[in-house]
Amino acid sequence: MSRSKERKAGKGMKRTEMVTRILDLFHKKPEEVFSLKTIFEQLHFKTHPMKMLCLDILYDMTEDEYIIEVERNRYRLNKRGTEMVGTFLRRGYKNFFQAEEGGEPIELPDRNAGHAMNGDKVRVSCYAKRPGKAAEVEVVEILEHAENTFVGTLEVQKHYAFLISENQTLPNDIFIPKDKLKGGKDGEKVIAKIIDWPEKAKNPIGQVIEVLGKSGDNNTEMHAILAEYGLPYKYPENVEKAANHISGEITQEEIAQREDYRVPVTFTIDPKDAKDFDDALSIRPLSEGLWEVGVHIADVSHYVQENSIIDKEAVKRATSVYLVDRTIPMLPERLCNFVCSLRPDEDKLTYSVIFKMNDKAEVKDYRICHTVTRSNRRFTYEEAQTIIETGEGEFKDEILQLDKLAKILREARFKAGAINFESVEVRFDIDENGKPLSVYFKESKDAHKLVEEFMLLANKTVAEHIGKVKGGSKPKVFPYRVHDLPDPEKMDNLAQFISRFGLKLKTVGSNKEISKSLNQLLDTIHGRKEENLISAVSIRAMAKARYTTHNIGHYGLAFSHYTHFTSPIRRYPDLMVHRLLTRYIDEGKRSANEQKYEDLCEHSSAMEQLAASAERASIKYKQVEFLSERIGQTFSGVISGITEWGLYVELNDNKCEGMIPLRDLDDDYYEFDDKNYCLRGRRTKKTYQLGDPLNVQVARANLEKRQLDFKLV
C-alpha cells in the first residue's frame, strides 16, 4: 500500500484501524456487493479525510486483488482463492491453520476464526494474497470439534457463572447458566463442556460435567492436571469389579504347562515406594565361567484377555501416569499391585528370557518361555546399591555378579555407539496433604544401571527373535520401539549453541562417530554449571522415540532391533509384545494384522507424550508451590532460556525455573539478539547469555498458571 501510509482520518483514526474495519465488513458478508455509499454509512466515515482515506485503501485492496470492483464504486470480497481442509491451531494468543496436505501453518486473525478451537478440523477460504502479506484465510465451516471440555475455576455471580481457564487454546471464558453448575461453587475447580457457541456471542456457553473440588487443594489440583490432558483419574466401577473377580490362584495344571523357575535365587529391585513389581532377575552358575541369568516379567497377558473389559480400558489409557505424589495405573489395582506384581515369597506367572552368559557377558544362548517364579527378596535401589558399594548383604554374590556382567554390557553398548544421556530427575518429599517439604534429585547409580542393562538386553533379544529373519523372508508384524537419526540441521544448531561454551561437536560422519562425539560432550560437561542446560538442549536435538510396526532401529541405544517387553503392568505395547510372542512362538500362527497394530502403536506413542506432559505439569506445580512459601528468598541459578520478553533462570538447588521479565531489567534498554541467543543492553552493551550464573530473588508465584517470576539481585 503505497500512498498516505501514516495519514490520519477524522479524529485520530489511523490507516491500520480503518483497514481492519473495512476487512471486517467484507468478511462478515463475503457474498455481498457494497457500494461506496454503503461502506461510508455502515462504517460511519462521515468526514472528508475519512472518505478520502477509505477510497485510498479500497484502491490498494483492488490493486492487490483482495477485493473486486464489480462496477464503478461497487466492491465485493475476492473469493477466487481456494478452499482447504485442515486443522485449526491456537498457539499462545495466535491462531494458525495447518492444511491437510502439509506446508507451513498460515496465521489467521481472531475475526476469521469463526469460533473454531484448538485442534478442530475446519474448512477455510483462502483469499487472494496481498503484496508483502501472507494469504489470508477464514474459517467457513467447523467439520469436527477436537475437544469441548476444559478445566478451570468457577466465578459464580447471582444469575450466571463463568469458567476461567488458564488454557491458552481457549480464547474466551466459558459462560455457564446457573442451572448448569452441577452444584459447583465460586472458587471451585471444575471440568466444563462447551454445548453451544452462538455466531454473534463472544463467549461459548457451557455446562459443568464434574466438580473437582476446592481450588488449591492438592487432590483437586492433581485431578485438574490429569483432566487438562484428557487423562483419567479414577477407574470405572465395572472395570474394577471385573478385576476383583480375577483369581490370583495358580493351578497345578498351569504350572505343568510352564518351566518351573522357583528354585534359582530371584529378586526384584525397584524404587522404595513401588508396589507394582513387573520384573525380577535370577542368576545361577552353570559351570566354570558360565552363568544362567533370567529376566522374568509379570505375565499380564495370562490374566488380561484381548478385547475384555479390562483390556479395552488398558488400551484407552495405554500407559500408567506418574505424577509427583501418585501413580494412575494402566491396570486396576488388584492386577497391578497384587495378582500380577512379583511380590516376595509368592508364586507368580511370568514370561521369561533365559540367557546363558560367560564371564565376558557374551550371550551364548537364550530362550523365551512361559515360567512360574518366586521372588526371594524385594530390594529397593538403595539396598542393592549398598551391597554393590560395600560387598556385604543378603544375596550379595548374586547381586555382585549381575553388577559385574551389567557393567560389561553397558561398556559394550557405548562402544557400539549408544548415547549416554543421564538427565536429572526432580523429586519431592511431601507431607500427607501433598505439600512439598523439600526437593531432591534422583540419581542413576549402579543398582539402577544393573536393572537397566538386563531389561535392555531382554527387550533387544525379543525384538531380534521376531525381527531378524533368514533368507530374505518378511518378518512378522511386531511393535518396535524405534528412535530415528537426529535431524542434521538440529545437530548443526546444537554445535553452534555449545560453541558459546567453548565446546565442540562432530555433526558429520558415521552414526558411531557422531554418537562418540556426543558422549564426549556429555562427559566434558559433567559437573559443570551448564550441564543440565546442555543436556536438555542435546535431548531436544534428538528425534523422539516412538512405537511402530516399521522397524528402523534405535539410534540412541545403537540397536538394530528393539522393543518393549519388560513392563506390561504399566505399558500397553509390552502387553501387545507378550501376546504376539505367544502367537508366533507357542502357537505358530501367521502374521498379525499390520494396520491394527500400527494404529495401537500410534495411539500408545501419543498417550506416552500426554502422560509425560502431565508429569511435567505436576512437577512444575509442586516447584511453584514449594517456592510460593519462599517469596523474597535469594537463590543462585543459571540462565536456561532467553526470549524477547525476558530471561528464564533455573535454580541450582532445586531445578525450579522462573522468569525475569524484560521490564524488570531496568538498568538499560535490552534488545533480544536472536542470532546469538542473548539479551544486549543498548547503552552499556551488557550481555546476558545462556548458562550465565545469576543470583535471583523469588518475586511472585502463580499456582493457577504454574509460573514463577524472579527478580535480579
Side-chain angles (χ1 to χ4, degrees):
M1 291 191 183
S2 53
R3 295 170 295 155
S4 311
K5 236 171 194 173
E6 294 305 316
R7 190 196 296 172
K8 292 186 175 182
K11 290 186 181 175
M13 183 186 289
K14 288 190 177 172
R15 183 188 184 91
T16 49
E17 189 186 336
M18 190 176 278
V19 168
T20 303
R21 286 202 195 178
I22 295 168
L23 284 174
D24 283 348
L25 180 68
F26 282 110
H27 280 295
K28 272 176 190 161
K29 295 178 179 175
E31 307 302 330
E32 196 164 315
V33 175
F34 293 94
S35 69
L36 193 57
K37 188 182 173 189
T38 307
I39 295 169
F40 289 162
E41 281 173 0
Q42 292 204 14
L43 298 178
H44 308 293
F45 296 161
K46 294 174 182 174
T47 66
H48 181 68
M50 274 185 159
K51 290 176 179 176
M52 287 299 98
L53 182 58
C54 177
L55 272 169
D56 196 25
I57 290 166
L58 291 171
Y59 173 81
D60 281 344
M61 284 184 170
T62 310
E63 284 286 290
D64 296 343
E65 296 184 347
Y66 196 78
I67 57 173
I68 297 168
E69 192 173 9
V70 289
E71 295 172 52
R72 184 165 167 75
N73 290 335
R74 288 171 61 79
Y75 304 91
R76 173 172 66 75
L77 190 70
N78 182 5
K79 291 201 71 175
R80 202 181 59 210
T82 56
E83 283 203 332
M84 295 187 286
V85 172
T87 307
F88 180 86
L89 302 167
R90 190 165 171 87
R91 294 174 184 157
Y93 298 103
K94 289 183 176 180
N95 307 313
F96 296 90
F97 169 75
Q98 177 64 67
E100 273 183 346
E101 57 264 32
E104 284 294 306
I106 304 166
E107 191 176 338
L108 68 157
D110 281 343
R111 66 172 181 272
N112 291 1
H115 293 345
M117 290 189 292
N118 188 52
D120 286 356
K121 187 177 180 182
V122 295
R123 179 179 284 112
V124 300
S125 262
C126 188
Y127 299 112
K129 209 172 191 176
R130 296 163 66 195
K133 302 267 184 177
E136 186 156 336
V137 296
E138 179 182 19
V139 174
V140 291
E141 188 183 358
I142 296 168
L143 302 171
E144 212 176 285
H145 279 298
E147 75 176 314
N148 61 354
T149 61
F150 293 89
V151 179
T153 306
L154 283 178
E155 268 187 15
V156 182
Q157 309 294 328
K158 195 174 178 185
H159 301 294
Y160 58 87
F162 279 100
L163 180 92
I164 314 299
S165 175
E166 294 300 339
N167 189 330
Q168 287 189 357
T169 65
L170 183 67
N172 304 85
D173 299 330
I174 300 171
F175 175 83
I176 298 177
K178 205 73 187 271
D179 61 343
K180 303 285 185 196
L181 282 171
K182 208 182 177 182
K185 297 180 183 67
D186 188 57
E188 286 191 320
K189 276 251 164 94
V190 300
I191 304 172
K193 179 182 184 178
I194 291 175
I195 48 176
D196 191 20
W197 197 340
E199 195 177 329
K200 289 187 179 166
K202 182 188 171 191
N203 300 81
I205 299 166
Q207 66 180 45
V208 173
I209 54 173
E210 186 148 3
V211 178
L212 297 171
K214 190 168 172 261
S215 194
D217 173 77
N218 184 61
N219 263 352
T220 301
E221 296 300 340
M222 292 301 115
H223 287 169
I225 285 169
L226 291 164
E228 192 184 313
Y229 290 97
L231 297 166
Y233 48 88
K234 56 187 178 187
Y235 247 96
E237 274 179 42
N238 57 347
V239 181
E240 290 273 21
K241 208 171 174 184
N244 290 335
H245 282 122
I246 291 175
S247 168
E249 192 189 335
I250 300 171
T251 63
Q252 285 306 312
E253 289 78 18
E254 186 58 45
I255 291 171
Q257 289 174 39
R258 294 171 176 260
E259 287 197 39
D260 194 335
Y261 254 81
R262 290 175 291 181
V263 174
V265 168
T266 303
F267 42 78
T268 59
I269 306 176
D270 288 280
K272 56 185 174 212
D273 54 355
K275 290 174 186 155
D276 53 341
F277 313 133
D278 49 10
D279 57 80
L281 293 167
S282 71
I283 183 167
R284 60 181 170 187
L286 293 175
S287 60
E288 187 62 40
L290 196 63
W291 303 90
E292 183 188 73
V293 176
V295 179
H296 309 286
I297 309 301
D299 190 0
V300 176
S301 60
H302 176 84
Y303 298 101
V304 179
Q305 301 305 308
E306 199 166 3
N307 294 322
S308 66
I309 188 171
I310 298 171
D311 184 57
K312 283 174 181 169
E313 183 65 25
V315 167
K316 227 189 293 179
R317 292 171 179 242
T319 179
S320 292
V321 183
Y322 295 89
L323 299 190
V324 161
D325 65 337
R326 68 195 64 202
T327 299
I328 296 84
M330 182 180 81
L331 298 171
E333 192 182 0
R334 173 159 172 77
L335 282 172
C336 63
N337 290 356
F338 297 98
V339 175
C340 297
S341 186
L342 308 184
R343 287 145 48 109
D345 303 318
E346 293 179 16
D347 290 355
K348 294 288 173 180
L349 300 182
T350 39
Y351 214 160
S352 305
V353 187
I354 313 291
F355 297 98
K356 277 185 187 170
M357 302 176 84
N358 62 18
D359 279 337
K360 292 177 185 169
E362 294 165 336
V363 176
K364 294 297 178 187
D365 197 9
Y366 73 89
R367 66 186 187 283
I368 301 166
C369 50
H370 285 97
T371 51
V372 57
T373 49
R374 187 179 183 89
S375 170
N376 302 99
R377 173 80 147 77
R378 176 258 200 271
F379 284 103
T380 65
Y381 279 119
E382 290 77 8
E383 288 168 338
Q385 186 63 30
T386 301
I387 292 169
I388 292 168
E389 286 173 9
T390 64
E392 293 303 323
E394 208 177 351
F395 302 121
K396 64 173 195 228
D397 294 340
E398 287 80 4
I399 282 185
L400 292 171
Q401 184 56 43
L402 283 170
D403 180 56
K404 206 181 288 180
L405 295 170
K407 281 175 174 149
I408 300 169
L409 286 170
R410 189 174 173 81
E411 196 184 334
R413 196 160 57 79
F414 290 134
K415 225 175 191 171
I419 300 165
N420 187 15
F421 279 121
E422 281 188 28
S423 54
V424 173
E425 290 186 46
V426 178
R427 293 285 182 267
F428 296 86
D429 282 320
I430 48 183
D431 67 12
E432 65 280 0
N433 299 316
K435 182 180 164 185
L437 304 172
S438 63
V439 185
Y440 65 94
F441 307 132
K442 184 184 152 194
E443 275 185 275
S444 187
K445 295 188 174 177
D446 287 343
H448 297 87
K449 291 168 185 173
L450 183 162
V451 175
E452 181 187 26
E453 285 310 320
F454 284 105
M455 297 308 124
L456 289 174
L457 182 63
N459 288 334
K460 171 182 169 239
T461 303
V462 165
E464 287 176 346
H465 189 84
I466 301 300
K468 275 191 172 179
V469 288
K470 288 171 189 163
S473 55
K474 197 182 172 191
K476 290 181 176 177
V477 169
F478 203 61
Y480 295 93
R481 178 71 169 174
V482 304
H483 185 223
D484 210 343
L485 302 175
D487 181 288
E489 194 180 330
K490 284 186 178 177
M491 289 298 281
D492 285 339
N493 291 343
L494 174 62
Q496 277 179 16
F497 169 68
I498 63 164
S499 68
R500 296 191 190 96
F501 301 92
L503 299 164
K504 285 183 180 171
L505 177 67
K506 191 178 175 69
T507 58
V508 288
S510 69
N511 293 346
K512 206 168 168 181
E513 285 170 334
I514 293 169
S515 301
K516 191 181 174 187
S517 180
L518 252 173
N519 282 335
Q520 280 169 348
L521 168 69
L522 297 168
D523 280 347
T524 306
I525 61 170
H526 188 64
R528 283 167 60 162
K529 66 180 188 302
E530 61 269 16
E531 178 182 5
N532 222 34
L533 176 65
I534 292 175
S535 286
V537 174
S538 302
I539 289 168
R540 284 200 290 272
M542 297 289 116
K544 273 192 169 67
R546 59 190 171 86
Y547 298 106
T548 177
T549 55
H550 309 294
N551 182 40
I552 56 165
H554 197 295
Y555 174 75
L557 293 171
F559 290 159
S560 62
H561 295 74
Y562 188 65
T563 190
H564 274 168
F565 163 79
T566 54
S567 292
I569 288 177
R570 60 186 181 90
R571 293 187 303 224
Y572 197 79
D574 304 55
L575 190 49
M576 294 196 277
V577 164
H578 281 219
R579 287 180 182 147
L580 288 176
L581 270 177
T582 302
R583 175 191 174 105
Y584 299 152
I585 298 173
D586 292 1
E587 296 162 16
K589 287 184 181 173
R590 60 193 175 89
S591 192
N593 181 293
E594 185 179 316
Q595 194 55 54
K596 171 189 165 181
Y597 281 95
E598 187 58 30
D599 289 347
L600 283 167
C601 282
E602 273 184 30
H603 171 67
S604 298
S605 297
M607 292 307 290
E608 177 188 33
Q609 291 303 316
L610 271 185
S613 297
E615 182 184 354
R616 281 195 296 272
S618 80
I619 290 169
K620 186 72 184 173
Y621 184 87
K622 287 296 165 200
Q623 288 176 322
V624 176
E625 189 181 357
F626 179 69
L627 286 185
S628 67
E629 297 197 341
R630 289 156 180 82
I631 303 288
Q633 288 188 21
T634 300
F635 295 89
S636 60
V638 293
I639 297 176
S640 54
I642 298 178
T643 66
E644 60 266 38
W645 55 85
L647 298 171
Y648 285 93
V649 178
E650 185 184 80
L651 305 184
N652 299 330
D653 290 352
N654 46 45
K655 302 291 175 226
C656 299
E657 189 180 58
M659 191 180 79
I660 303 172
L662 197 60
R663 63 177 180 270
D664 290 357
L665 296 172
D666 53 11
D667 63 326
D668 198 348
Y669 179 79
Y670 285 92
E671 293 174 312
F672 177 55
D673 178 349
D674 56 346
K675 285 192 176 65
N676 295 301
Y677 221 59
C678 68
L679 285 181
R680 188 175 287 109
R682 191 184 277 180
R683 182 174 51 81
T684 60
K685 304 293 182 232
K686 186 177 177 182
T687 305
Y688 290 102
Q689 285 188 307
L690 282 167
D692 282 355
L694 287 181
N695 288 327
V696 295
Q697 205 175 58
V698 183
R700 286 172 293 277
N702 186 328
L703 275 166
E704 281 293 315
K705 292 184 176 177
R706 300 194 281 273
Q707 280 178 5
L708 288 166
D709 277 357
F710 294 152
K711 204 160 63 177
L712 198 59
V713 175

